[in-house]
Amino acid sequence: MTDSKYEPRVDVQLQGLLGEALSANLNGRLSHFIVDETSPAIALFAPAARAANREGDWYGEHAGKWMVAAAKAAARSGDAALLARLRRVADFLVSTQEDDGYLGTYAPERRFMRKQPPKPVSWDGAPSVRTWDIWTHAYLILGFLEIHRHFPEPRYLQAARRIGELCAQALDQGIDITDLGNHHGLSATVLMDPAAELYFATGERRYLDLGLNVLVQADRHPELALLPRALAGADAAEIATGKAYQLAWNLVGLAKLHRATGVPAYREAVLGLWRSIRERHLTLGGGPWGGVAHRSREVFNAPGAFNPQGYVETCSTLAWIQLNRELLAITGEPVYAEEIERSAYNDLLAAQAPNGEDWCYYVFPNGRRVHTTYWRCCKSSGAMALEELPAIAYACEGEATVAVRVYGPGEAMLDLPGAGRVRLQQITDYPFDGRVRLRIGVDGPARFALKLRVPSWAEGASVAMAGEGAAAAAPGSEWVLERVWRDGDEVLAEFPMAPRTHRALNRNVQESRAPDGSQVQQQVLRYEYLGLTYGPLVYATTLIDGYKTEETLKLPALPQRDWLAPGEPLDGLPTLVLRPLRREPLVFAPYYAAGGRVDGAWRLTWMGLAPEPSP
């Protein structure tokens, strides 16, 4: 079964916060990081550099990531200079591809086709010879395919196909994919994603077989066992080492294998681990996080563990957005669009600097903002994640339905059979205000269905045609109206925003059995925290009193509206004011902007709560 669903043309221009971030991305990272074959991230692939590289680095990943993001940005913006740079870099890479299809950065003795000695046991499941060769090739395949999708050139598709054929040949000749990546193979089994994309692009069964072979080998590895463990209900932290970025990317590939084959078990496995991540391993800002009591900052915490200083790797936010994109395509359910929006407006924007060049490797609910160094993976991952958003914000579902999935100023032009060209324009201050005016443009009267996502936080939401009575819309649902639309028709959506509190708990209960067999439970640790949201945005404060990195609050025994309410704007942004007992009020601003988005700024999302008196 091929992925042959109807795909009409959709042109999207995002404005507002997301539009500013995309513009900064285009004019910053995508225009300056790589410009030609002499750029350091591309010079790695020159034959002389390749022949001398015996180190276990990941730096080759930037080429494919940049190609993916730059191709999308050039297509949406029409930037001729970026497109010229993109073609120049892609042509250089094609020129360095070797006769067997190899296009990595490693000397011959370190390449993935060369069987290596047995690996010693290590905490992170690293192979005996550390390599990111498959990882780099996976991103190269995706990069070439993305260019070919927007600017079709046979040589780019052929380069991707030759990499896929080399990978398939290596596995057929006895190479085990789990020997080729860290985290018990998770860093190599990501090949499922580009293998599926090769199948979608060509319709050739051999690429689907490659992806399925990778899954078979992943399932055979006792520490990984991706599909069996997922179907058995394992928590995301229990799959291999629980590495957040790699696991989420594996799930993207598994979701695509479901789209290609229709096998229900693949879908169920992905959904099970998605629920595990969403329920136990996300920050308020929608980023997968870890780093509590573990050697890796990027590994999911044990279920139930909580620490406000935990780490969100920006690469993990990219993979989480992509995973929700795939589940949205498979199910059409609005919850996945809401997760994408939450991640985008909070942890993703919180990682980007306004100049579009600088990114944070990690963001923290409670911690200092640190712009990372030149080579770090998250700078390219953040750029990729932003470029995912335009294609997700609006969509055609079938041939007679248009859907608005991400809210914010902007517009989309969509082609519908029978309806012709449809223009949707969002007029709104979202995410700062929940009022959304949607203006429809058509060449002539046209019948189609309009679908609007109702945010789960929007209690009392309503939707109405302009000039007509409003209808209530249940939070977390979709509002759908099918009718004959005329040019200039407007739909008014009201998504009421109110300050919300969220509780988190760092708790430890000691469990044992008494000599008579009865269970004994004793709570030995308990710290409770309070976080705030307002509509889709998480709110945070900077250093408290100018120097404190944390504070313990005692809340009044009064209705919430008496101690938490919107305040006066600060630097043009809405605020929340919290008035605890026994101290001055605290002012909170949107998390992504707290501290001014400058290197070294502090953001504090979770406030400790005063302990309750012991019984």
Side-chain angles (χ1 to χ4, degrees), residues 74-407:
R76 68 172 171 80
S77 68
D79 190 310
L82 179 60
L83 178 56
R85 289 192 293 271
L86 178 63
R87 284 185 165 137
R88 177 169 178 166
V89 168
D91 288 343
F92 170 76
L93 291 172
V94 170
S95 75
T96 70
Q97 190 167 28
E98 299 185 12
D99 291 342
D100 62 358
Y102 185 83
L103 188 49
T105 61
Y106 287 92
E109 64 270 24
R110 292 295 306 275
R111 295 178 182 176
F112 69 86
M113 307 91 75
R114 179 74 63 89
K115 196 169 182 64
Q116 300 293 337
K119 60 184 178 183
V121 176
S122 63
W123 77 268
D124 65 346
S128 58
V129 178
R130 187 167 178 264
T131 174
W132 292 83
D133 209 7
I134 286 286
W135 178 271
T136 294
H137 279 90
Y139 271 121
L140 287 170
I141 292 173
L142 294 176
F144 282 123
L145 291 179
E146 195 67 37
I147 299 172
H148 182 71
R149 182 175 293 116
H150 299 287
F151 311 102
E153 294 281 358
R155 62 186 179 278
Y156 302 143
L157 178 59
Q158 181 64 10
R161 291 173 62 170
R162 293 180 64 205
I163 294 172
E165 289 161 7
L166 181 62
C167 292
Q169 182 181 22
L171 299 192
D172 289 342
Q173 293 179 353
I175 295 293
D176 189 322
I177 193 75
T178 62
D179 287 337
L180 303 178
N182 295 351
H183 302 281
H184 303 295
L186 274 178
S187 297
T189 53
V190 296
L191 187 60
M192 287 186 289
D193 177 5
E197 284 296 332
L198 276 169
Y199 174 61
F200 295 149
T202 67
E204 296 181 21
R205 175 75 197 198
R206 54 183 166 170
Y207 300 120
L208 177 57
D209 288 341
L210 169 61
L212 295 173
N213 192 12
V214 171
L215 179 59
V216 167
Q217 293 191 9
D219 290 345
R220 200 163 56 207
H221 191 294
E223 298 297 329
L224 178 48
L226 179 61
L227 190 59
R229 285 190 172 184
L231 293 174
D235 185 84
E238 299 165 352
I239 306 293
T241 61
K243 180 69 161 62
Y245 176 17
Q246 277 86 329
L247 178 57
W249 190 8
N250 272 263
L251 296 179
V252 169
L254 188 55
K256 289 182 180 180
L257 290 181
H258 168 73
R259 282 170 45 198
T261 65
V263 174
Y266 301 166
R267 180 180 183 273
E268 293 310 307
V270 173
L271 287 172
L273 286 172
W274 178 88
R275 286 190 290 268
S276 169
I277 295 170
R278 183 173 183 253
E279 293 168 5
R280 306 184 190 108
H281 301 291
L282 289 183
T283 64
L284 268 185
W289 68 338
V292 177
H294 199 289
R295 277 181 283 188
S296 172
R297 296 172 294 276
E298 300 157 9
V299 168
F300 285 127
N301 301 322
F306 176 84
N307 188 306
Q309 285 84 33
Y311 293 72
V312 178
E313 184 189 13
T314 299
C315 291
S316 301
T317 302
L318 161 67
W320 177 245
I321 288 172
Q322 292 175 323
L323 176 56
N324 281 279
R325 176 201 67 199
E326 291 305 308
L327 288 172
L328 183 59
I330 290 170
T331 70
E333 294 178 8
V335 64
Y336 304 112
E338 180 159 325
E339 287 300 324
I340 291 167
E341 183 180 275
R342 175 164 71 131
S343 299
Y345 277 128
N346 294 289
D347 277 330
L348 182 60
L349 286 188
Q352 187 197 32
N355 63 11
E357 294 274 8
D358 293 313
W359 284 84
C360 300
Y361 192 153
Y362 304 110
V363 293
F364 311 87
N366 287 28
R368 181 173 175 265
R369 182 185 181 102
V370 178
H371 293 162
T372 194
T373 55
Y374 176 87
W375 282 107
R376 289 300 172 185
C377 50
C378 290
K379 300 183 82 168
S380 290
S381 290
M384 272 185 73
L386 281 173
E387 295 299 334
E388 291 281 353
L389 301 177
I392 295 169
Y394 300 84
C396 293
E397 296 182 357
E399 300 187 11
T401 301
V402 295
V404 180
R405 292 169 166 172
V406 174
Y407 292 110

Side-chain angles (χ1 to χ4, degrees), residues 284 289 292 304-310 365-366 500-508 525-532 544 549-555 563 578 588 604-612:
L284 268 185
W289 68 338
V292 177
F306 176 84
N307 188 306
Q309 285 84 33
N366 287 28
R500 285 194 168 199
T501 60
H502 304 262
R503 301 292 181 104
L505 191 62
N506 181 11
R507 180 172 181 255
N508 190 299
L525 179 149
R526 182 185 178 95
Y527 292 95
E528 193 169 1
Y529 298 88
L530 180 79
L532 306 177
I544 297 170
T549 61
E550 59 184 40
E551 181 65 286
T552 302
L553 306 179
K554 188 170 182 62
L555 302 179
W563 51 266
L578 190 153
F588 292 75
L604 306 175
T605 303
W606 292 102
M607 301 289 113
L609 291 177
E612 298 295 329

